[in-house]
Amino acid sequence: GAVSPDGIHWTRQEGTLIKHTSDTPSVAEYDPETKKYVAYLRGWEPQINAGYGGRRIVVRVESNEFGNFSDPQPVLAMGPADAPDVDIYTNAFQRWPGASRAYLMTPAMYHRASDHVDLQLATSHDGIRWFFPQQEPFVANGEPGSGYEGAMYAGRGTVPLGPGKWAFPM
C-alpha cells in the first residue's frame, strides 16, 4: 500500500495491509462519516481453502488507520431467490454523488451457465447493509450474436451529465 497527503507524492507502506485474498479490483477509501478507512473486496461464501470457496460475494473491512484492517465481513451476496449460477464478480463501490450517507455499487454479475457478465445496481445508507433495488440488470448484455454479448465491468466514479444525471465508466 501507499499513502499520500496530496495525491501526487506517495509513501510506500511496509507490511501487509489486508490479510485477505481478493483477485479482482478492490476499493479502499477514508469514510468521513465513520472516520475510518474502509475497503470493499471480493469474498467467497462459503470460504473453503486459502480464502477461496463457493459463490463470489462482496466483503468489507475497516481500520482506524490505513492498514491493519479488520477481518472481512460479508455485505453483499446473492439471495435464495437468485439463480444458483450467479456470482458477484466485482463491486465498483462509490459514494452517491452529492449525498453524505448514501452509497452505490455497480457490481458485475457473472452468470456461470451462460458465461456472460452484466451489471447490477446496489444501494446502501451505511455501507454495510446493501440492497438490489431491482432484479433485472442495471446494464444488460446484448443477445447472443448481436455483437454486444459477453462481459462488461463498471469502473469507479461517476461523470455528471446535468442535474440528477450521471454516467458510470465502463
Side-chain angles (χ1 to χ4, degrees):
V3 295
S4 171
D6 58 12
I8 298 171
H9 303 92
W10 292 85
T11 303
R12 186 177 187 86
Q13 291 185 286
E14 298 297 322
T16 303
L17 296 178
I18 300 172
K19 297 175 182 85
H20 175 74
T21 302
S22 184
D23 61 348
T24 58
S26 301
V27 177
E29 70 175 27
Y30 182 75
D31 184 344
E33 300 295 323
T34 63
K35 298 186 178 13
K36 294 184 180 208
Y37 290 91
V38 297
Y40 294 88
L41 320 160
R42 171 185 286 165
W44 297 84
E45 187 64 35
Q47 285 192 340
I48 297 173
N49 59 3
Y52 296 98
R55 292 178 89 174
R56 296 166 180 101
I57 63 171
V58 178
V59 297
R60 181 182 184 272
V61 296
E62 64 180 37
S63 176
N64 291 325
E65 56 189 58
F66 192 71
N68 193 28
F69 283 93
S70 64
D71 289 335
Q73 299 300 312
V75 293
L76 186 62
M78 302 306 294
D82 296 309
D85 74 316
V86 180
D87 288 334
I88 302 173
Y89 211 71
T90 61
N91 69 70
F93 165 84
Q94 57 198 314
R95 295 179 173 282
W96 191 300
S100 62
R101 292 292 292 169
Y103 307 93
L104 297 170
M105 280 190 200
T106 45
M109 310 304 282
Y110 176 52
H111 301 262
R112 294 182 196 190
S114 59
D115 194 30
H116 80 274
V117 177
D118 54 33
L119 297 177
Q120 188 62 275
L121 177 67
T123 61
S124 175
H125 288 289
D126 61 9
I128 298 170
R129 291 179 298 273
W130 288 86
F131 306 94
F132 293 112
Q134 61 187 34
Q135 291 300 312
E136 62 273 0
F138 181 58
V139 180
N141 276 310
E143 294 297 318
S146 69
Y148 297 99
E149 69 277 5
M152 66 181 97
Y153 298 90
R156 178 173 149 85
T158 55
V159 178
L161 297 178
K165 294 182 181 181
W166 317 296
F168 297 92
M170 290 185 215

